[in-house]
Amino acid sequence: MTDGENGSVYHIAIAVKNLEEAEKLYTKAVGLKVTHRETVEDQGVKAVMLKPESKEGTAIELLEPTNDNSPISKFIEKKGEGIHHICFYVDDLEASLKVLKDEGMRLIDEEPRIGADNMKVAFVHPKSFNGVLVELAEIKKD
Amino acid sequence: MTDGENGSVYHIAIAVKNLEEAEKLYTKAVGLKVTHRETVEDQGVKAVMLKPESKEGTAIELLEPTNDNSPISKFIEKKGEGIHHICFYVDDLEASLKVLKDEGMRLIDEEPRIGADNMKVAFVHPKSFNGVLVELAEIKKD
C-alpha cells in the first residue's frame, strides 16, 4: 500500500495557480504520472499527486486553491507559486510529536488530525525547521 | 549505486545558516542518517546529504554557505533559510534539456555541467516551474 519508511519523503507539495497546466508540465518535463486526485473542501484545495513510472518513492503534490480563503490562496498571494511544504512518513505520529515537543519545537498541530487520503498527519512550524513547513504523516499499516 | 529512476526526486536542497544544528535537527526529528558530505569550493557551499535508515529514496541535502559571495548566502539574505531547489533524476540529461528548450522553458544551464558527486546536472529557471528552482541530474550507469 505504501512504499514509505520512517523519515522518507512522502511528498513535496507545490502551490500552483493552474493545476491543469502544472500537471502537464511535470508530466512532460520529468515524465511523472498522476496517481491520485482529491478535493479537500474544508482546506479549500484541489490536489493532484504525481509519481515516476514505477509509482514508487516521493510524490509531487500539486495544490490549487478552490477559493480565496484557502490557505493556498493566501500562500500564493504572499509568496507566489512555489513549494508549500514537504511531508515525511513517520512510524508513530504521536511518539514523533512528543519528541518534537520535548525538544521545544513549535507544532502547528499538537495532536494528529486526518489529512488527505485519510492519513493521520500533523504540521510543524517552519520556525522550528529552517524555514520549511514540515508535515508528518503516519505510515498506514494494512 | 543509485536508487533513482527517470523523474524520481533525488534530493530536496535546503539552505541553512548552521549545518551542524540542521543536521542534528533532521537526525533527531525524523530519524535521518548522514550519507555524504562534500564541500564544493567554486559554489561556496558545504553540503550534507541525509537519508532514512534504508539509505533509499529521496535525500535531504543541507547547504551552508562557506562565504558571503556564495549563491546560498545570497538566497538566505534575500529569502531566509528554506528550500533552495529540488532535484529530479533523468535518464538522459541532454535529451531532457532539448525537450524543455523545445517547450520554450527557461534554462539556467543550456548544457549539462558537473555538479556534486561528479554527476551531470543542469538547472531550470523557477519561472518555468511554478516558482520552483529545479535541478536535473543524470542517473549514473555503472
Side-chain angles (χ1 to χ4, degrees), chain A residues 5 7 28 32 54 58 103 130, chain B residues 5 7 28 32 54 58 82 103:
Chain A
E5 68 172 300
K28 197 164 262 181
L32 300 186
S54 72
T58 296
E103 289 287 317
N130 305 101
Chain B
E5 67 171 302
K28 198 164 261 181
L32 300 187
S54 71
T58 297
E103 288 288 318

Side-chain angles (χ1 to χ4, degrees), chain B residues 14-56:
Chain B
I14 303 171
V16 302
K17 290 179 189 165
N18 185 320
L19 200 58
E20 211 177 312
E21 278 179 20
E23 191 182 311
K24 270 189 211 149
L25 170 66
Y26 280 89
T27 305
K28 198 164 261 181
V30 280
L32 300 187
K33 314 278 177 199
V34 173
T35 57
H36 185 74
R37 288 178 199 279
E38 188 168 359
T39 299
V40 186
E41 287 300 350
D42 71 325
Q43 294 285 312
V45 71
K46 259 196 333 196
V48 171
M49 285 274 196
L50 301 108
K51 286 197 170 196
E53 194 75 44
S54 71
K55 306 274 162 56
E56 280 180 14

Side-chain angles (χ1 to χ4, degrees), chain A residues 5-8 12 16 25-26 28-30 32 52 54 58 60 81-83 86 88 100 103 105 128-131, chain B residues 5-8 12 16 25-26 28-30 32 52 54 58 60 81-83 86 88 100 103 105 128-131:
Chain A
E5 68 172 300
N6 191 68
S8 67
I12 302 167
V16 302
L25 169 66
Y26 280 88
K28 197 164 262 181
V30 281
L32 300 186
S54 72
T58 296
I60 298 295
E81 293 185 303
I83 295 174
I86 59 178
F88 291 96
L100 300 183
E103 289 287 317
M105 291 180 70
S128 290
F129 252 110
N130 305 101
Chain B
E5 67 171 302
N6 190 68
S8 68
I12 302 167
V16 302
L25 170 66
Y26 280 89
K28 198 164 261 181
V30 280
L32 300 187
S54 71
T58 297
I60 297 295
E81 294 184 302
I83 295 174
I86 59 177
F88 291 95
L100 299 183
E103 288 288 318
M105 293 180 70
S128 289
F129 251 110
N130 305 103

Side-chain angles (χ1 to χ4, degrees), chain B residues 93-94 97 101 107-113 121-123:
Chain B
L93 183 52
E94 291 195 21
L97 291 176
K101 217 167 168 178
L107 304 179
I108 294 175
D109 301 301
E110 300 259 334
E111 301 292 332
R113 58 183 180 80
V121 301
F123 279 87

